[in-house]
Amino acid sequence: MEGYARPVKKLVEELSKLPGIGEKTALRLTFHILSSPKEDMEELARTILDAKESIRLCSICFNLSDSDPCGICSNGHRRERRICIVENVNDLLAFERSGFRGRYHVLHGVLAPMKGIGPEDLRIGELVDRVKREEVDEVIIATNPDTAGEATAIYISKLLKPMGVRVTRIAFGVPMGSDIEYMDELTLNKAIEGRREV
Amino acid sequence: MTKPQRTEAIVIDSFDYGESDRIVTLYTRIYGKIKGMAKGARRSRKRFQNTLESFSHVMVEVKGRGKGLYWLNYSVLLEGFEGIMEEVERFTYGNLLLEMVHTLTGEGYPVPGLFHLLLSYTRELSRTHRAGALTLLYAFRLLSILGYGPHLSRCVRCGRPSEPLFHLREGGLVCRDCGEGAVRVSPGLVRSIKVGLAFPLRAIPRITVSGDQMEEGFGLLEGFIEYHLQRRLKTFRFIEQMGGRRDAGKDLSGNHP
């Protein structure tokens, strides 16, 4: 970064801290910012600050929201007795795009022993309290189908099942539009296990 | 390494990098512990699908090194060990052994016997109902392979017959005269660890370890590792959160504190 003015270096450093942005991309963004109209950049800075200050976690489902409870939890037209448990807000948004109309509970992670992330670091205690407090017909566990996601799902199911609530796991198997020839044995086994009548 | 090479490996850990890549830590049969960049792994349906999960036994093709990382061209799943995911206890203790391998080995230095031990452990772990006891015995075996094995015969200080007193700094049992600063351990635990160190790996699942010995054994293991590393392994904190170190499945797989 020799030859660059100090504010430029500082801006590149700050932008490089964002996920997925390396030094070259940060430099490109910096030049874009510097060549843009001042009003546009003031608006960008205001929007970032505004989002940071106004967004909080919904006290019921722990989704990111500018109101508490969030728009989903306060929507009376949704199927309130069905809760879908997801790892993070991105997964919640993916289910929203799919047309799911139940409610959610965002864990904000999964069990990860090597990273020191245990049940107390996730929103699992709040989930148990929620199931005790609300009338819930079904809890759908939609953590990722990987080692940590699966272990988290089993841990949660063992907590909730004794409470008398129906606990289900999203189906696994062959993704739509894929090619069976290229599927691994584990995925095909899961697909056979989860088969259904047509 | 200029040409791509294929090697068997056990996946130790992985994390997402950028939009679609993954950085994976592997313990390979040929190169020991390596870190590799799997470009496009999160989107690839052919080169990496479902093969980069912890504990997986895979065949990988690796190439060169860029910024300290190998490039992973592709990986093929040889054994998936889905049994490990089916019980939280197996998952928890399995992570402890993976973290030990991760922290106690250096990159690019293959340790004779370690790949074989890891493969044997993951196979047994995926079907055991005594994940704690199994892990405890394999963990001491791992320490032994890495040169940190505890001395459990004569006094490690003076060579006289030892007492069941373990000295963390000296790394083994000591006699009563040399016992200052040592912790008392039960003779049964010492016997189980000794058998675990001496017998072939396939015999380890048949060695009995009681609940009390488990508690004591993991305390010893934690203290021993902490002494050598000067820090606590993160999985020990996790085990604490899950309710303890005993081998009763109920403690580690359901009762939320």
Side-chain angles (χ1 to χ4, degrees), chain A residues 19-20 111-121 124-125 128 145-148 150-152 154-155 158-159 175-179 182-187 189-190 193, chain B residues 12-15 18-19 22 45-46 49-50 53-55 77 80 82 84-88 91-92 95-96 98-99 102 234-235 237-238 241-242 252-257:
Chain A
L111 298 177
M114 284 170 70
K115 295 182 178 74
I117 301 172
E120 290 167 21
D121 304 303
I124 292 178
V128 173
D146 53 25
T147 315
E150 195 62 12
T152 306
I154 287 170
Y155 179 75
K158 288 195 173 175
L159 289 177
M176 295 294 285
S178 61
D179 194 333
Y182 292 107
M183 289 296 115
D184 62 280
E185 297 82 352
L186 196 61
T187 303
N189 277 337
K190 290 283 182 191
E193 275 175 26
Chain B
I12 303 289
D13 194 18
S14 66
F15 61 89
E19 283 286 302
R22 242 173 171 194
R45 286 185 176 173
K46 293 176 185 171
Q49 191 185 43
N50 202 17
E53 290 302 313
S54 299
F55 305 104
L77 188 69
E82 56 181 312
I84 296 174
M85 300 184 236
E86 287 166 4
E87 284 189 16
V88 180
F91 171 75
T92 302
N95 269 276
L96 177 62
L98 292 188
E99 192 180 0
H102 204 337
K234 288 178 179 169
T235 309
R237 178 181 175 264
F238 183 90
Q241 272 201 36
M242 299 296 275
L252 279 170
S253 57
N255 292 345
H256 192 61

Side-chain angles (χ1 to χ4, degrees), chain A residues 29-99:
Chain A
L29 290 172
T30 299
F31 287 133
H32 174 78
I33 289 167
L34 293 176
S35 62
S36 298
K38 191 179 173 207
E39 306 76 55
D40 288 1
M41 292 305 108
E42 280 173 349
E43 181 62 21
L44 176 64
R46 261 197 307 275
T47 308
I48 292 171
L49 272 178
D50 184 43
K52 187 68 193 160
E53 281 165 6
S54 63
I55 297 295
R56 68 197 87 166
L57 293 180
C58 168
S59 60
I60 297 173
C61 72
F62 300 97
N63 182 16
L64 292 176
S65 173
D66 58 352
S67 61
D68 189 15
C70 69
I72 294 173
C73 288
S74 56
N75 182 346
H77 295 294
R78 300 184 74 110
R79 297 182 63 172
E80 291 199 9
R81 292 182 164 207
R82 186 187 282 181
I83 298 176
C84 179
I85 302 174
V86 290
E87 286 182 20
N88 53 47
V89 175
N90 287 344
D91 294 349
L92 181 152
L93 295 173
F95 275 102
E96 277 295 283
R97 287 196 298 273
S98 78

